Amino acid sequence: MENMNPNKHISGQFNAELEDIRNRVLAMGGLVESQLEQALDALGSLDAELAQKVISGDHKVNGMEVSIDEECTRIIAKRQPAASDLRLIITITKSITDLERIGDACVRIAKAAVEKRGNNQRPLLVSIENMGRHATRTLHSTLDALARMDAEAALELHKQDARLDKEYEGIIRQLMTYMMEDPRSIPEVLDVLWAARAVERVGDRCKNICEYVIYYVKGKDVRHTSYEDMEKDLRQE
C-alpha cells in the first residue's frame, strides 16, 4: 500500500525534476568552461579555425539557457515550490543567465583571435591569455561551488575577483601606452581591449554566481554587499 501514497509519488517526481535541472545547469557550465578554454587557446596561437569553432558553438550555450529556463518556469507553475526548493530554482535561473553571458565573452575573445595582429601586439595577447587562465580556474572553482552549494567556497571565490580586476587594470595601462605612442594602432588596440574586457567580465559573472550560492544556502540576498558583511551573514546561524 506504500506505493499507493500519491504524496510520496509526487514528492519523488519533484525531487527528480530538481535533480535534473541541477545536472543540466552543471552540463551547461561544463560547456561554457570548454568554450573559454578553447577561446583562450585560439587567442594564444591565433588559430582562426579554433576561434570560429568557439563562435559557432555559442548557439549551444544559448539553447541550453532557454531550455533550462523553460523547465524552471514549468516547475514553478506546476509544483509551486517554497523555501529552499524555490531558492534552488531561483539560483539556477540566475546562474544560467550569467553562464550565457560568459559564453558571449568567449565569443568576444575568439573574435580577437581571428583578426590579424602585428608583432607589437603579441605581448598584449599573452597578457590577456595569462589573465584568461586565471579566469578559467575561477570559473572551474565557481562551478564546483555551485555543484556542492558550498557557501564557504563561494565566499572565498568572491573575494578573489579583485585579483582579476587588478590584472585587467594593468593591461588597460599597457593598451593606453600603445595608443598614445602610435595613434595609428588605435583600431587594433581597441579590439584587444574588448577581449581583455571580456575576460574581466568572466570574473564578474563568476562573482555573481557565488552570490547566488550564498543566497541559496543562507536565504539572504547578498548582492551589492561588502565582503565583510557577506562573511558576517554567512557566520550567523
Side-chain angles (χ1 to χ4, degrees), residues 8-25:
K8 182 178 180 181
H9 181 63
I10 291 171
S11 175
Q13 284 184 329
F14 185 28
N15 289 336
E17 290 170 357
L18 292 178
E19 187 62 25
D20 177 62
I21 60 171
R22 278 179 64 117
N23 291 335
R24 287 166 66 181
V25 74

Side-chain angles (χ1 to χ4, degrees), residues 88 137 177-178 215 224:
L88 174 62
R137 291 191 297 272
T177 300
Y178 273 104
Y215 163 73
H224 316 300

Side-chain angles (χ1 to χ4, degrees), residues 34 115 169 202:
S34 176
E115 301 296 329
E169 290 168 4
V202 171

Side-chain angles (χ1 to χ4, degrees), residues 138-154:
T138 300
L139 175 59
H140 181 82
S141 298
T142 298
L143 292 171
D144 185 54
L146 179 64
R148 294 182 290 111
M149 288 299 174
D150 187 338
E152 294 282 352

